[in-house]
Amino acid sequence: VPTLAWRDRYDVVVVGAGALGLASAYHLIAQHPELSVLVVDARSGPGEGSMGASSGMVRDVFSSRDNRILAGSTIRFYRHLMEEREELRAPVPLLDLHGYLWLLPESRAEAYAALLGRGEGAVDATLVDLDDLRSCPGLEVAPPRWFEGDSVEPPEPIVRGLFGRHCGAVAPEMLAAYYCEEARRRGVEFRFDACVRRLSFEGRGELLLHEPSKRPFSFQREMKGRLRISRVHFGDGRSVGADRVIVAAGAWSEKILHPLGMATACSPRPELLFATAGPAVEALLDWRPPVRPVDAEGGRSRMPFLILPTGAVLKPVFRERRVWIEFVDTVASPIGTREDPARDGRLDFDPGRLGDREAFATDVLPAVAPYFPAFDTPALRLQSSWGGYYSFSPDGLPVLVEESYGVIFVGGDSGSGIMKADALGRLVAARFDGKPVAELYSGASYRVDRLSLENRSVEPERIIL
Ligand SMILES: Cc1cc2nc3c(=O)[nH]c(=O)nc-3n(C[C@H](O)[C@H](O)[C@H](O)COP(=O)(O)OP(=O)(O)OC[C@H]3O[C@@H](n4cnc5c(N)ncnc54)[C@H](O)[C@@H]3O)c2cc1C
């Protein structure tokens, strides 16, 4: 079997140079400079999977304490990087904490207000009165109907807002470049345009394999240290040896893990974004809401990330004078990825092709227009659309598992992996070392197997955007 250009074998191969693979490689090499680590990705650069298709937002407002710890620490770490490095502050900042604003109906107002409780684990957020919300240009707080001509009950009126302060935008491409460069500087090797087709036990001399299938005879699982993963095979027929493999291949992870009999418990679903412009968008971008964000522009607040009662979200992109609208359709939308690297030997992921323009009229506008009627006029321009995947875990918390034969899986981002990536990278490094607890950047200690499937012990998440 032809091997890759540089080494025949690595101590660790990381599959996937997305948010989770990059943070894992970075923390692994920071802990273990002596290891040979190779990161491979099917795309031609770092962060070009769902990370590159994302809306690039961060928040610490979650209903689950676990998510608050993981995201809170990660946001603090990103902030620290900005303070340390000039190029992460200007011309474009890595983080811009202009805030999240939930527009809440009565049915949800109480549960969200409870997040503000005092004491450990409370979020830094404030309630916003209905009168203050009325300053939002174009907002209809009590829509009379879903759309013209329908006679069903109208959408729920908005009764108040919740403004999250340690929330805002992150630049995914800057983050990917940072982790990639820093890992490389410490000796991690990267190989792009390299699609992993399968992982195998082949080539480990002492291991007995069933010849036609190349699967190991299972009694060897009982022989301590004998059953170990051994090779990573690429779509072009090449392969490389590995003592351990970290699979951080996002929504496509199960395509290489399921054939090994390894479960992820995750369900990938497409998530689409639509970039809009026009007068209604301009008015929102010029709004100076009565809130106090961490990052103000010349001392003035700007449009926050808006979350409507229907689940539709509006992201301001100030430099482009656009608003991106995101909507997750989990009703009658098939679970799974269209692409299958194990079958095809390549990853034909095309965010533009995934972005279904027609869904804007059928799925997105009905969720936005009742609250922002001016979005349903010809003056609103749909400029582009694209998509990626959310990989949902059953409870909205990430998944981190290890098989005794040396394969670690980290994933289950549930749509919020970038904002938890640093904490997860530290957890992967601790898992690699067999440490029960990881020390996060915030100083919090977090038990690694809380995120496992066997000993899972997490507070389920209810605020999934
Ligand atoms: C529309 C949208 C909006 C989002 N908004 C946010 C947000 O605001 N904030 C947030 O935190 N998160 C957001 N997310 C989620 C975020 O993108 C993910 O949590 C994050 O990308 C997960 O990182 P990952 O490393 O697990 O996966 P990915 O970023 O997808 O990285 C996986 C990598 O593995 C590679 N790969 C896959 N299979 C193979 C293979 N067989 N061989 C080699 N390489 C392979 C891929 O090319 C890819 O680069 C959003 C996602 C979408 C789609």
Side-chain angles (χ1 to χ4, degrees):
V1 183
T3 50
L4 288 172
W6 31 135
R7 304 184 195 212
D8 288 346
R9 187 156 206 97
Y10 288 82
D11 294 323
V12 189
V13 172
V14 179
V15 184
L20 304 189
L22 290 168
S24 300
Y26 169 90
H27 285 295
L28 197 60
I29 203 75
Q31 300 285 320
H32 290 289
E34 76 286 359
L35 288 179
S36 58
V37 181
L38 173 70
V39 178
V40 295
D41 199 291
R43 308 275 293 164
S44 50
E48 293 184 6
S50 293
M51 186 181 191
S54 81
S55 22
M57 300 299 295
V58 299
R59 61 175 160 122
D60 64 355
V61 178
F62 284 96
S63 66
S64 160
R65 188 169 173 271
D66 293 273
N67 269 337
R68 290 201 293 271
I69 293 171
L70 299 172
S73 175
T74 300
I75 296 169
R76 278 169 75 167
F77 178 70
Y78 296 165
R79 200 68 181 182
H80 154 78
L81 293 182
M82 273 178 82
E83 279 154 18
E84 223 176 32
R85 301 240 177 157
E86 166 83 46
E87 72 273 19
L88 297 180
R89 291 196 296 273
V92 179
L94 175 64
L95 270 189
D96 182 0
L97 300 180
H98 54 75
Y100 271 42
L101 180 60
W102 276 265
L103 300 173
L104 299 169
E106 189 68 55
S107 59
R108 259 174 262 169
E110 208 174 306
Y112 278 71
L115 295 172
L116 303 180
R118 296 181 184 276
E120 204 206 352
V123 299
D124 183 6
T126 49
L127 293 175
V128 184
D129 288 346
L130 189 57
D131 276 347
D132 286 337
L133 292 179
R134 291 187 207 278
S135 68
C136 178
L139 175 65
E140 173 69 76
V141 291
R145 64 180 92 81
W146 281 100
F147 45 81
E148 205 63 63
D150 87 280
S151 54
V152 295
E153 223 175 278
E156 289 181 277
I158 293 163
V159 296
R160 79 173 65 116
L162 180 112
F163 180 72
R165 293 188 73 243
H166 284 273
C167 304
V170 64
E173 65 292 350
M174 287 170 77
L175 195 64
Y178 171 83
Y179 275 131
C180 189
E181 276 161 29
E182 284 302 307
R184 196 175 257 145
R185 201 169 61 77
R186 290 168 156 90
V188 172
E189 294 175 30
F190 284 83
R191 181 159 189 104
F192 293 104
D193 298 311
C195 181
V196 174
R197 185 169 216 159
R198 67 189 179 94
L199 307 179
S200 84
F201 296 87
E202 287 157 57
R204 209 173 263 282
E206 71 280 16
L207 205 60
L208 294 173
L209 301 178
H210 173 250
E211 254 322 296
S213 71
K214 304 284 187 206
R215 282 168 50 199
F217 291 106
S218 61
F219 68 86
Q220 297 167 110
R221 187 185 271 275
E222 305 306 319
M223 299 165 71
K224 203 170 179 336
R226 173 125 163 195
L227 189 64
R228 303 292 298 166
I229 201 72
S230 184
R231 293 201 84 72
V232 176
H233 301 260
F234 296 90
D236 61 5
R238 289 188 288 183
S239 73
V240 68
D243 285 343
R244 292 175 80 173
V245 178
I246 297 171
V247 176
W252 303 278
S253 297
E254 35 267 34
K255 302 291 185 194
I256 44 180
L257 291 175
H258 283 181
L260 277 187
M262 189 167 168
T264 63
C266 296
S267 314
R269 295 177 190 262
E271 174 83 5
L272 308 188
L273 271 168
F274 301 85
T276 60
V281 165
E282 288 293 334
L284 273 176
L285 291 169
D286 290 337
W287 181 32
R288 302 293 178 178
V291 289
R292 291 192 22 253
V294 171
D295 290 324
E297 187 189 49
R300 300 172 72 192
S301 63
R302 288 160 293 161
M303 176 188 169
F305 186 69
L306 283 181
I307 302 106
L308 304 187
T310 51
V313 298
L314 275 64
K315 169 185 163 119
V317 187
F318 300 106
R319 273 171 297 122
E320 295 176 7
R321 304 298 294 169
R322 287 179 182 178
V323 162
W324 293 359
I325 307 180
E326 185 179 343
F327 186 65
V328 60
D329 181 11
T330 50
V331 180
S333 150
I335 290 174
T337 60
R338 294 188 189 174
E339 312 78 20
D340 184 346
R343 180 194 61 206
D344 305 333
R346 52 176 204 281
L347 184 66
D348 290 327
F349 174 54
D350 178 348
R353 214 174 43 214
L354 203 58
D356 170 10
R357 270 182 94 88
E358 283 174 19
F360 187 70
T362 55
D363 292 59
V364 180
L365 269 184
V368 175
Y371 294 99
F372 286 102
F375 275 69
D376 195 13
T377 57
L380 187 94
R381 298 189 303 279
L382 173 60
Q383 298 200 313
S384 56
S385 62
W386 65 96
Y389 295 97
Y390 273 16
S391 185
F392 286 97
S393 68
D395 45 28
L397 270 296
V399 174
L400 170 52
V401 288
E402 181 174 20
E403 276 292 338
S404 57
Y405 48 71
V407 177
I408 292 178
F409 161 67
V410 61
D413 63 275
S414 306
S416 50
I418 302 170
M419 61 184 95
K420 292 176 222 156
D422 188 73
L424 290 171
R426 288 170 204 261
L427 285 165
V428 167
R431 174 98 239 181
F432 183 89
D433 280 335
K435 290 187 188 153
V437 169
E439 187 80 17
L440 302 185
Y441 177 74
S442 60
S445 299
Y446 194 87
R447 234 186 50 235
V448 178
D449 71 353
R450 285 181 78 96
L451 300 180
S452 70
L453 294 176
E454 266 182 322
N455 300 315
R456 198 159 179 83
S457 153
V458 288
E459 251 180 46
E461 181 56 57
R462 297 207 163 67
I463 310 178
I464 294 182
L465 303 179

